[in-house]
């Protein structure tokens, strides 16, 4: 039985004082989250703060991106070993904002997944289609292409050490949400695609949904057979809302 996983993506939000309130509230309620897994991916400057607040609570932490390079003349980049120094468990890779705003292509995403796994980090591999791609009926081919790049680099066995997050780009930060049936259909497509290569990997693969998940719709989404939790954006900045989503995963 796959355990549900809910991870907050703070994106470029945060300040030391506000973070403390949020992290302390999560830590105080960590015991109520037994039966599911929970984490937060925070901006790089706050990894130490997250580590200090969450270590020993059962809530994990991680980063929102990383370089595929271990070290070198890559100004502004952060390596896997740097993330390890702060006890990170997770790293988000291939988020639609990284793809769209910073030109990360499928090949780069695959290299990052490979580097993360070599370092013992769990990549949260994001895949998803734009509104235009959905409306033209190419959702599955887009997601297949994104997955195939990673499969070519790490093999299907590599997905046994990863999480896939389906994030319809048209539902991120827009207030729109894929219906539970729409989300389930894509999650099932992903699992069936992996099952064609390795049934056991597919059965155990955690596939999160990311796209305007809120406390009010989380339970309905998470009840779908192939939706194993969520990658949560704006709602993860509110402790009560995020905890409500986490509890819905139980």
């Amino acid at each position: 039985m796959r355990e549900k996983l809910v991870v907050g993506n703070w994106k470029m939000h945060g300040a030391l004082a506000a973070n403390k309130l949020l992290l302390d509230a999560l830590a105080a309620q960590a015991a109520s989250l037994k039966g599911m897994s929970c984490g937060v991916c925070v901006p790089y400057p706050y990894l130490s703060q997250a580590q200090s607040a969450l270590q020993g609570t059962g809530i994990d932490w991680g980063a929102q991106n990383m370089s595929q390079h271990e070290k070198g003349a890559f100004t502004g980049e952060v390596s896997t070993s740097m993330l390890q120094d702060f006890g990170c468990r997770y790293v988000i890779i291939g988020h639609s904002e990284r793809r769209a705003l910073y030109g990360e292509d499928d090949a780069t995403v695959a290299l990052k997944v490979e580097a993360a796994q070599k370092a013992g980090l769990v990549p949260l591999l994001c895949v998803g289609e734009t509104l235009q791609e959905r409306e033209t009926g190419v959702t599955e081919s887009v997601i297949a292409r994104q997955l195939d790049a990673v499969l070519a680099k790490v093999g299907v066995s590599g997905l046994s050490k990863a999480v896939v997050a389906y994030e319809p780009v048209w539902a991120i930060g827009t207030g729109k949400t894929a219906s539970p049936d729409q989300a389930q259909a894509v999650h099932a497509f992903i699992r069936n695609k992996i099952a064609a290569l390795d049934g056991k990997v597919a059965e155990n693969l955690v596939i999160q949904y990311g796209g305007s998940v809120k406390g009010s719709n989380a339970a309905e989404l998470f009840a779908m057979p192939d939706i194993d939790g969520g990658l949560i954006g704006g709602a993860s900045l509110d402790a009560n809302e995020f905890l409500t989503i986490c509890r819905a995963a139980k």
Side-chain angles (χ1 to χ4, degrees):
M1 186 70 179
R2 297 182 301 273
E3 189 173 71
K4 292 286 199 291
L5 171 66
V6 175
V7 176
N9 173 16
W10 290 8
K11 305 192 179 186
M12 198 174 72
H13 297 286
L16 287 171
N19 297 348
K20 184 179 189 315
L21 294 174
L22 175 52
L23 291 166
D24 285 352
L26 297 181
Q29 294 297 315
S32 71
L33 304 180
K34 293 188 184 302
M36 54 84 62
S37 295
C38 178
V40 292
C41 288
V42 307
Y44 297 133
Y46 303 128
L47 284 173
S48 179
Q49 187 182 25
Q51 180 182 30
S52 296
L54 297 177
Q55 58 188 346
T57 65
I59 299 176
D60 293 304
W61 58 94
Q64 298 169 17
N65 188 31
M66 47 156 269
S67 173
Q68 67 269 41
H69 305 289
E70 179 46 41
K71 58 184 175 182
F74 303 106
T75 300
E77 291 294 296
V78 170
S79 70
T80 56
S81 61
M82 295 174 186
L83 300 185
Q84 288 174 310
D85 278 345
F86 293 98
C88 291
R89 175 171 174 78
Y90 299 111
V91 57
I92 300 171
I93 295 179
H95 192 280
S96 61
E97 290 159 3
R98 298 299 312 176
R99 295 178 189 258
L101 300 177
Y102 300 100
E104 293 192 10
D105 58 16
D106 294 338
T108 299
V109 169
L111 288 171
K112 290 187 176 190
V113 169
E114 181 182 45
Q117 292 186 330
K118 285 182 177 178
L121 297 166
V122 178
L124 306 180
L125 168 63
C126 297
V127 298
E129 83 283 11
T130 65
L131 181 59
Q132 181 182 12
E133 289 165 340
R134 171 164 281 273
E135 290 179 340
T136 54
V138 296
T139 293
E140 291 184 358
S141 61
V142 168
I143 290 170
R145 186 202 76 222
Q146 293 168 339
L147 288 172
D148 283 341
V150 174
L151 289 166
K153 181 58 65 175
V154 303
V156 68
S157 62
L159 290 188
S160 66
K161 300 176 290 184
V163 170
V164 173
Y166 166 58
E167 41 159 26
V169 180
W170 49 272
I172 297 174
T174 64
K176 297 180 180 179
T177 308
S179 71
D181 288 337
Q182 285 177 316
Q184 165 59 24
V186 179
H187 280 240
F189 167 76
I190 293 170
R191 199 174 308 282
N192 289 337
K193 177 176 172 59
I194 303 307
L197 301 172
D198 190 310
K200 185 174 181 181
V201 170
E203 182 181 354
N204 293 320
L205 178 65
V206 171
I207 309 175
Q208 298 176 301
Y209 172 74
S212 298
V213 179
K214 303 179 285 290
S216 59
N217 62 20
E220 189 177 15
L221 285 162
F222 297 166
M224 294 290 107
D226 290 297
I227 298 180
D228 305 316
L231 182 60
I232 314 302
S236 69
L237 300 172
D238 180 300
N240 288 332
E241 185 78 358
F242 186 59
L243 288 165
T244 297
I245 294 169
C246 290
R247 291 180 185 122
K250 296 175 63 176

